[in-house]
Structure formats: C-alpha cells, structure tokens
Amino acid sequence: MINVFKFGGASVKDADGIKNLAKIIELNKDKQLLIVVSAMGKTTNALEDLTKAYADQRPDMQQIFGNIKTYHQNILLQLFEDENHPVYDEIENSFVEIDWIIEDEPHDEFDFIYDQLVSMGELISTKIVNAYLNHIGIKSKWLDARSFIHTDNSYREGNVDWNKTCKSIEKNIPQVIQDQVAVTQGFIGGTSENFTTTLGREGSDYTAAIFAACLNAEAVTIWKDVPGVLNADPKLFPDTIKYEELSYREALEMTFYGATVIHPKTIKPLQNAKIPLMVKPFLSPLESGTCIQESQVKITQPAIILKNNQVLLTVSTPDLSFITEDHLCDLYGIFAEEHVKINMMQLSAITYSACFDADDRRFPKLMTALEKKFKLKYNSGLELLTVRHFNREIINNLTQNKAILLEQTSRHTAQMVVRNI
Ligand code: ASP
Ligand code: MG
C-alpha cells in the first residue's frame, strides 16, 4: 500500500534531522513511500527575506544569500564526508540559479519573483535528502513536484488543476515507488508555461494530501516536533493535551481558525478520498500520534487557537449612513482583489469591522483601495483568540489582562480580537 510521508522544516533543520528522517524511512521499509519534504529549518523565511531585499535592492541582499548558502553547505559537510560527492555540485548549481535571478534588476512582479526564489528552499532540501538516502543505501529517486502539481499562474497561491495533476501522478508515481522511495518537494507547483508557483506558506501538507488523494494512498503521515495534534500551541501554553483521534470536520474547523499544526487545505482532499491523516512526532516515531479520520469521537478538551499579528479595521461610510448590502459588496470585492483574507468580521449599524493578518505589502494597498469610498480606522498588533468547545471558565482565564475589542460566540466556538494590557 502506498503511504505519503511529509517532513516539515523543523524535522530537517540540521544533519541530525535528516539522519532521523532516514531512520523513519528505514522503520517503514515495508511500505511504498512517497516522501514530501519542506525547506530546511527557517529557510523559507530567509528566502522570503532575500526576495524582499532583492525587490527593494537592499544592501544586505548578498549577506542574506550568503547565510542561506552557508547553512546548507554546513549540513552537506556533516552528511557527506567526501567533498567530491556529486550533491555538492548539485546544490551549488541551485545557488547559481538564485544568483542569476538576483543579479538582474527586478523587473517582474513581486509575487512572481517570490515564487521563483522561495521555491528553491524545497528544491535544495529534497536534493540533499534524496542524496543522503541513496548514500546510506536506501534506494531513492528525486522527483520534481512541478511536473506533477499543475497550477494556474496565481503566484504565491497557486490553484491546483486537479484533473491534470491527478493524471500526471497516477501515470508516473506508482511505478516509481515500486522498488524505491521517491522524494519530492512540498509547497511548490508548476504552471503550463513551466514557471514555478507556490501554494501558500506551510503548503507542504497540502502537497502531501494532493499526492495521497491522487494515489488513493493508505494514509498520510505528517511528522512533527509535537506528539500529535494538541489542544493548544505548546510554545504558548504550558499544559496541553494531545487528541488521540479527531474527525476530519473538527480538524478542518481548527485549521480554519488558525491552528497551524496542519495547513487548512490539507483536510478536504483526504476527507473526500477517505484517507486517514496521521500526525506523529518525528523524535518518537513509534508513538501513536493523532489520527484524523471519519469519526464520531467527542471533544472534551477545549481547543485554544491564538493568531498573532492581527489588524482590526473598522470601516464606516463617509456620511455615517448605514452600511448596506451594496457597501458590503464593494468591501468584499476590494478585500478579494487585494488578497486579504478576513479572519473575523462584524457588522453594526454604521460600521463594518474586519480582522485579518498583518501583511506589510498587502495592507497599504488595501487601505488605499478602501479609502476611496470609506472612512477607516484600525488597530494593529492584536491577537485573535479562538476557543472551540469553550466554557466560561476557560474564556475568563484566557482573557485576563487582555482588552477585548471584538467578540463573537456560536454554539461551539468563541472568538475574540484582543489586545494585551
Ligand atoms: N517551506 C514552506 C514554508 O515554510 C512550506 C512548508 O513548510 O510547508 O512555508
Ligand atoms: Mg512547516
């Protein structure tokens, strides 16, 4: 049976991580495996920074690039003693590709350049992982995800052409993984003109789900630095519990509200194909983790989801007239046009409020577009707190020392835009 394993940036952040990945593959050698890998550690952030530095022609551009190179070269040195190993040249060539892009003046659109540069993180990590697996005797083949994940040319949020994608995957992959593992990139796709797209930050999980759905895989396993899906982010809350089992529906809701353990787009294709999604700790690969599947299991422990860096924008009409459906139509149109995704919103007689992630490029454009028709006020540096299966006690606890700017509750979910006081 085919299984898809996804290894995120944290699992391959150093040479030990890659060795550990190899151990997990070893433990699962009875399975036919497709391995989807993210960029190493914080490489995507670094490449994002490089892209911005390039777009703005900042003086620190070469330094950022230098750091990215050194980071990967150090990992190579720890994995491959023989510096004549071909992987050194292969990775060097990828850096030359980056160099070609950034030595020209930036003429193209930012989102396009972003995808051509940022995708290099996954291309490089998978080349290293693939070479290492072969090096230690695990037969492995590198696959270019851009030949399988076909998207339109919405750069930075490529929309997958499922028909074309499934055809390519079904036709080629089952054969490849019959007697070897295949290693491919998460997060990236290709357009019909052979340009690279990305699927949105943290999109590697989604890649794993696409491959699994098209291959009708037995399961997808996402290997994480946490024991499974927890009821809160352990970096923010000390006492977390792990869910043994979650329904697709519950997992979908959690990701919708901002739980970062899994990318929001991951669940639907798996649910449609009835493929279970396992979330397991890469440091204890034999633990049970969390299984997400069709399930009636009742959640008893509230799930707490905190999103930082939120903006709350309040819009009113210039003459303080009521906000009507026509205004809303205009407003949503502008948000969609400027690619700003609304996390929470509320309407009162003369104001409309929306909470969304701060984005230093999209936000000013949104403001400029809205200003033409509306009066605007906003607060930034806020948090969006969501509690699924809430009770009053937990809400009171969580909102101590916080000012609540906007609040909404439904039967299962309480949401608040808050500011620390
Ligand atoms: N490397 C990409 C990111 O950091 C995709 C991923 O890790 O899922 O956003
Ligand atoms: Mg990740």
Side-chain angles (χ1 to χ4, degrees):
M1 276 300 252
I2 297 175
N3 273 258
V4 178
F5 281 4
K6 183 259 171 173
F7 290 90
S11 70
V12 291
K13 70 177 194 302
D14 50 25
D16 283 345
I18 294 170
K19 289 179 185 166
N20 185 61
L21 175 153
K23 266 189 220 137
I24 295 176
I25 305 304
E26 226 7 276
L27 279 173
N28 289 280
K29 59 173 173 238
D30 56 319
K31 301 187 172 83
Q32 293 190 317
L33 284 183
L34 175 73
I35 305 165
V36 173
V37 184
S38 296
M40 294 175 164
K42 301 273 178 231
T43 301
T44 305
N45 291 350
L47 285 164
E48 251 183 16
D49 200 22
L50 177 68
T51 310
K52 287 183 190 159
Y54 166 60
D56 301 339
Q57 293 286 291
R58 262 167 33 206
D60 57 345
M61 180 181 87
Q62 282 302 336
Q63 194 196 332
I64 299 168
F65 184 32
N67 291 343
I68 296 171
K69 280 200 264 192
T70 316
Y71 169 66
H72 288 92
Q73 281 154 355
N74 283 338
I75 293 178
L76 283 178
L77 288 169
Q78 289 174 58
L79 293 175
F80 305 91
E81 273 170 28
D82 177 6
E83 285 185 45
N84 291 318
H85 190 289
V87 70
Y88 282 92
D89 271 349
E90 246 186 285
I91 301 307
E92 191 46 43
N93 289 341
S94 302
F95 289 132
V96 171
E97 268 184 62
I98 296 181
D99 226 359
W100 278 338
I101 301 177
I102 64 173
E103 71 188 11
D104 274 350
E105 265 175 39
H107 296 298
D108 293 310
E109 200 201 321
F110 181 83
D111 289 352
F112 172 79
I113 305 172
Y114 178 104
D115 281 2
Q116 311 319 304
L117 282 173
V118 172
S119 56
M120 294 306 291
E122 269 70 12
L123 291 165
I124 293 172
S125 69
T126 48
K127 282 179 183 159
I128 299 179
V129 167
N130 179 61
Y132 182 72
L133 292 177
N134 282 309
H135 182 60
I136 61 161
I138 299 176
K139 201 170 161 221
S140 165
K141 187 172 169 68
W142 184 84
L143 298 178
D144 190 330
R146 296 168 297 185
S147 320
F148 298 100
I149 307 288
H150 302 285
T151 72
D152 63 2
N153 44 18
S154 310
Y155 295 101
R156 288 181 76 184
E157 49 195 332
N159 295 302
V160 174
D161 178 337
W162 276 88
N163 258 332
K164 209 169 152 195
T165 298
C166 270
K167 276 200 192 115
S168 303
I169 292 175
E170 277 166 4
K171 186 163 154 235
N172 297 293
I173 308 242
Q175 239 167 306
V176 173
I177 56 179
Q178 249 169 28
D179 58 346
Q180 59 190 338
V181 301
V183 175
T184 196
Q185 306 78 43
F187 180 52
I188 74 174
T191 68
S192 48
E193 297 98 35
N194 285 326
F195 287 114
T196 308
T197 49
T198 62
L199 307 177
R201 285 303 306 265
E202 305 298 329
S204 295
D205 297 346
Y206 181 39
T207 304
I210 298 169
F211 275 108
C214 297
L215 290 165
N216 200 13
E218 184 181 20
V220 174
T221 306
I222 298 185
W223 297 95
K224 304 271 312 179
D225 56 358
V226 283
V229 179
L230 305 177
N231 73 318
D233 181 345
K235 290 187 198 102
L236 304 174
F237 298 92
D239 300 313
T240 52
I241 63 113
K242 185 196 77 170
Y243 299 116
E244 274 309 312
E245 189 182 355
L246 287 174
S247 64
Y248 291 118
R249 170 76 197 268
E250 189 58 44
L252 199 62
E253 297 264 4
M254 285 183 190
T255 60
F256 172 79
Y257 290 114
T260 54
V261 62
I262 312 159
H263 188 278
K265 283 187 177 169
T266 313
I267 311 288
K268 190 174 143 229
L270 296 179
Q271 175 176 32
N272 291 349
K274 301 227 175 336
I275 297 170
L277 172 61
M278 311 298 300
V279 179
K280 290 193 182 191
F282 57 74
L283 288 177
S284 312
L286 298 174
E287 275 181 23
S288 60
T290 298
C291 177
I292 299 165
Q293 60 185 354
E294 213 62 79
S295 156
Q296 300 302 325
V297 68
K298 282 257 169 310
I299 302 283
T300 50
Q301 201 73 18
I304 305 165
I305 303 149
L306 193 63
K307 259 167 107 67
N308 289 322
N309 214 3
Q310 299 293 300
V311 177
L312 180 64
L313 176 68
T314 303
V315 176
S316 50
T317 54
D319 56 357
L320 291 188
S321 54
F322 291 135
I323 300 259
T324 63
E325 284 69 17
D326 286 341
H327 294 123
L328 290 176
C329 202
D330 276 351
L331 280 165
Y332 291 147
I334 295 171
F335 274 92
E337 186 109 318
E338 301 304 333
H339 303 281
V340 176
K341 194 179 150 285
I342 300 166
N343 294 329
M344 181 179 164
M345 61 189 163
Q346 215 165 64
L347 190 60
S348 75
I350 54 167
T351 65
Y352 165 83
S353 300
C355 170
F356 45 85
D357 296 0
D359 179 319
D360 50 2
R361 276 174 195 272
R362 289 178 179 171
F363 181 55
K365 286 192 177 165
L366 175 77
M367 295 296 276
T368 310
L370 289 172
E371 257 161 18
K372 294 185 188 134
K373 293 188 173 163
F374 300 99
K375 260 176 57 181
L376 308 172
K377 269 202 317 209
Y378 73 92
N379 285 296
S380 53
L382 307 176
E383 291 173 344
L384 175 61
L385 175 67
T386 305
V387 186
R388 295 265 306 149
H389 311 285
F390 65 97
N391 54 54
R392 265 300 135 195
E393 192 192 338
I394 192 157
I395 301 282
N396 292 342
N397 269 334
L398 289 168
T399 52
Q400 270 175 25
N401 308 321
K402 294 191 196 279
I404 301 176
L405 280 66
L406 201 65
E407 185 170 9
Q408 248 169 40
T409 53
S410 62
R411 217 142 54 97
H412 295 298
T413 311
Q415 282 201 290
M416 270 148 273
V417 181
V418 298
R419 186 180 50 214
N420 288 320
I421 43 176

